Amino acid sequence: MRTALAIARKELAVAFTTPWAYAVITAMAALSSFFFVSLLEQFQQVQSLAREHGWSRLPPDSIVYRNLTDGVVVQLWGVVMIITLFVAPFLSMRLFAEEKRQKTFALLLTTPVRPVDIVLGKYLGGLGLIFVTLGLTLVFPVMLSVVGSGPSGSALEWPTVLLGYGAVLLWGATCMAVGLFISALTESQMLAAFLTFTVLLPWMLLRGVAQSTAEPLRSFLAYLSFDAQLQGMIQGVLEVQALVFFASVILFSLLLTHRAVEAQRYA
């Protein structure tokens, strides 16, 4: 494990000495800020309409705007997950592909380092990078809590907020695991990013496809959908099956990565 941690530290050090990681992190912060402000403005508009006409006269789906947690933060996590779908492939693409392009991967395989340590080290490094990127989004609920708190207590339901944030981190960890495997298959960073996106996007949209199918295929596709598995956690409901599902996807992706590295070691 010590070797894996050393590789992880090296990956993080390399990532933060290049402008690419800062560009991706800045893009995440800018997009998240834009949607946060938009959601906050929409929340204020609905609240103004409710004070003027009453909640009973508003559309039924306006009920989510009764509080900041459901009206802003829960919806923000959904947006952040979509942004992560685009950002994660660009963070994971270089983990193996860059070393292959620079011909340093073959040198790494000749060292007395086990493939499992290489895979875990690369993944932990990528995990640290995606967690730093997603960590910036936690600023928004903190701001709401500070500004909106009053004598009656906090403006947010923090258990729901933190569980939703946990879902965001879990989604980021899953994207990184899938991207790591695809990066191990090619030396082209852009190809790795593109293939990661083309794998994750349909997987995320399986719930929509499932609605047009008959049972039992509908339930099966809905279970496999990332979106369906994440919805409960975003809304503050902890589901064991979702944790098992994402843990399985991550472990299976790491296993495939390990097999790919081993195959190249003896090629």
Side-chain angles (χ1 to χ4, degrees):
M1 192 62 183
R2 186 180 303 173
T3 304
L5 291 176
I7 294 174
R9 286 194 296 268
K10 174 252 183 184
E11 288 295 326
L12 286 172
V14 170
F16 285 107
T17 55
T18 59
W20 183 249
Y22 292 101
V24 174
I25 292 173
T26 301
M28 167 63 84
L31 289 171
S32 300
S33 300
F34 171 79
F35 284 106
F36 172 70
V37 173
S38 299
L39 289 170
L40 196 56
E41 289 179 349
Q42 187 175 4
F43 177 82
Q44 293 174 329
Q45 291 172 2
V46 175
Q47 286 283 323
S48 298
L49 289 173
R51 285 192 295 268
E52 183 178 350
H53 303 290
W55 287 102
S56 59
R57 295 190 177 184
L58 297 183
D61 57 356
S62 300
I63 193 68
V64 298
Y65 294 101
R66 281 182 176 269
N67 60 77
L68 281 169
T69 301
D70 295 329
V72 178
V73 179
V74 169
Q75 296 190 61
L76 176 65
W77 293 152
V79 172
V80 169
M81 285 181 179
I82 296 175
I83 299 174
T84 303
L85 178 66
F86 291 87
V87 168
F90 291 102
L91 293 177
S92 64
M93 66 181 187
R94 57 164 300 278
L95 290 174
F96 279 107
E98 176 66 9
E99 293 216 37
K100 289 184 176 182
R101 187 182 67 83
Q102 295 182 349
K103 309 303 181 184
T104 57
F105 183 62
L107 181 62
L108 178 62
L109 293 179
T110 61
T111 61
V113 178
R114 298 178 303 169
V116 65
D117 289 326
I118 297 175
V119 173
L120 286 178
K122 293 279 189 180
Y123 180 64
L124 291 175
L127 207 59
L129 188 56
I130 193 72
F131 279 8
V132 169
T133 305
L134 294 175
L136 298 175
T137 61
L138 195 58
V139 171
F140 303 121
V142 171
M143 289 171 54
L144 286 179
S145 181
V146 171
V147 175
S149 60
S152 59
S154 176
L156 300 177
E157 299 173 6
W158 274 103
T160 301
V161 171
L162 293 178
L163 190 57
Y165 182 65
V168 171
L169 295 181
L170 188 60
W171 170 234
T174 304
C175 292
M176 190 59 62
V178 174
L180 180 71
F181 167 60
I182 295 177
S183 180
L185 302 178
T186 177
E187 64 179 30
S188 170
Q189 294 187 54
M190 295 311 298
L191 179 60
F194 174 75
L195 290 178
T196 301
F197 178 75
T198 56
V199 169
L200 292 173
L201 179 61
W203 206 338
M204 172 68 89
L205 299 177
L206 272 180
R207 187 172 68 162
V209 175
Q211 293 177 355
S212 60
T213 61
E215 294 290 355
L217 183 59
R218 179 185 304 173
S219 298
F220 178 70
L221 291 177
Y223 174 79
L224 291 179
S225 169
F226 286 138
D227 182 51
Q229 294 288 352
L230 289 167
Q231 285 307 309
M233 293 184 65
I234 292 180
Q235 296 169 8
V237 180
L238 181 60
E239 298 177 343
V240 176
Q241 76 166 21
L243 298 178
V244 172
F245 174 79
F246 283 103
S248 300
V249 173
I250 292 172
L251 290 175
F252 185 62
S253 298
L254 295 180
L255 177 62
L256 291 177
T257 307
H258 179 263
R259 299 302 298 171
V261 170
E262 271 199 329
Q264 294 171 60
R265 185 169 194 173
Y266 296 107

